[in-house]
Amino acid sequence: RKEVEQDPGPFNVPEGATVAFNCTYSNSASQSFFWYRQDCRKEPKLLMSVYSSGNEDGRFTAQLNRASQYISLLIRDSKLSDSATYLCVVTAFSGSARQLTFGSGTQLTVLP
Amino acid sequence: GAVVSQHPSWVICKSGTSVKIECRSLDFQATTMFWYRQFPKQSLMLMATSNEGSKATYEQGVEKDKFLINHASLTLSTLTVTSAHPEDSSFYICSAAGQEGTEAFFGQGTRLTVV
């Protein structure tokens, strides 16, 4: 089992739709959680951190469920510019070494 | 947000030569740096993790003698691809993280083409 698993995608949705991505992680000692966005042929960029209490940034809502070990990202009123690959990231410590584990990414295409 | 500068952004080299890629954190101290490789239409693949002042930890299947990583200071890490071959052509990205719990910031990536 992969340490971090994401919805395989791709997701093709019409403009204005609501879309949700899930990501599960296997390491119960994971400490920090993030969603990144990666545009084609570019580096990933932080979209938002994910907190246990859930957090919202405009049309984006992220949630963390530690008991079930998953995080989610909800995009409302999707725009053409939301088309990208979305990566969930989980951090943990192994001894004194920090691990940063990426999911394989979910590709989203918003259609006009 | 924090800035990570990666250089060069692209490089073309002859087979058998070595290429050095630099990754600098410009406005924070990067206690941990990560090096990734990404082939077209594939996900990021972690190559190695390095903590400042110590040897890098390589992922399974990544040759440490071929991909030399140096993290001598809190603001600079380098990846040297030695004796590069066409199959090493890829997009290499570094990521730097500071204190525990903070997110990682990415360099712009280096597109390596070995001919």
Side-chain angles (χ1 to χ4, degrees):
Chain A
R1 183 186 172 190
K2 290 183 180 178
E3 288 187 46
V4 178
E5 293 200 61
Q6 286 189 241
D7 285 351
F11 286 71
N12 299 315
V13 303
E15 235 180 324
T18 296
V19 61
F21 307 137
N22 288 323
C23 175
T24 58
Y25 60 95
S26 60
N27 185 353
S28 59
S30 298
Q31 298 174 327
S32 305
F33 309 87
F34 308 94
W35 282 101
Y36 281 74
R37 169 195 170 127
Q38 185 176 24
D39 292 294
C40 189
R41 300 170 75 86
K42 296 285 183 67
E43 77 277 16
K45 293 189 177 178
L46 179 68
L47 180 64
M48 59 197 306
S49 303
V50 189
Y51 305 117
S52 296
S53 55
N55 48 306
E56 187 174 311
D57 182 4
R59 298 180 293 108
F60 299 84
T61 301
Q63 292 200 314
L64 164 65
N65 185 316
R66 284 192 182 270
S68 301
Q69 295 184 197
Y70 78 84
I71 62 174
S72 63
L73 177 68
L74 181 77
I75 305 175
R76 291 182 299 278
D77 188 25
S78 52
K79 312 290 185 190
L80 297 176
S81 57
D82 294 334
S83 298
T85 297
Y86 291 83
L87 305 159
C88 67
V89 178
V90 175
T91 68
F93 277 85
S94 176
S96 59
R98 182 178 189 165
Q99 295 178 330
L100 192 74
T101 307
F102 280 80
S104 56
T106 300
Q107 187 177 347
L108 171 66
T109 302
V110 181
L111 305 168
Chain B
V3 178
V4 174
S5 176
Q6 187 173 339
H7 177 81
S9 55
W10 61 270
V11 59
I12 301 173
C13 70
K14 289 184 178 180
S15 187
T17 60
S18 295
V19 174
K20 179 185 280 190
I21 302 170
E22 290 189 350
C23 182
R24 294 180 184 272
S25 58
L26 299 184
D27 53 1
F28 70 103
Q29 293 185 327
T31 53
T32 311
M33 284 194 174
F34 307 88
W35 286 95
Y36 298 86
R37 181 167 53 182
Q38 188 175 34
F39 293 104
K41 297 188 178 182
Q42 293 188 23
S43 59
L44 289 166
M45 290 174 49
L46 179 65
M47 299 176 67
T49 302
S50 73
N51 293 289
E52 183 265 338
S54 59
K55 289 184 178 180
T57 301
Y58 289 80
E59 295 298 300
Q60 193 172 11
V62 178
E63 299 175 56
K64 62 180 182 180
D65 294 329
K66 180 170 181 63
F67 299 99
L68 302 178
I69 291 173
N70 183 282
H71 189 175
S73 76
L74 285 171
T75 59
L76 173 66
S77 177
T78 60
L79 166 67
T80 301
V81 183
T82 62
S83 187
H85 291 285
E87 57 265 30
D88 298 324
S89 299
S90 186
F91 190 49
Y92 293 84
I93 309 177
C94 71
S95 174
Q99 296 176 348
E100 175 184 338
T102 59
E103 68 268 27
F105 297 93
F106 286 83
Q108 302 94 323
T110 298
R111 192 160 300 281
L112 170 64
T113 302
V114 184
V115 297

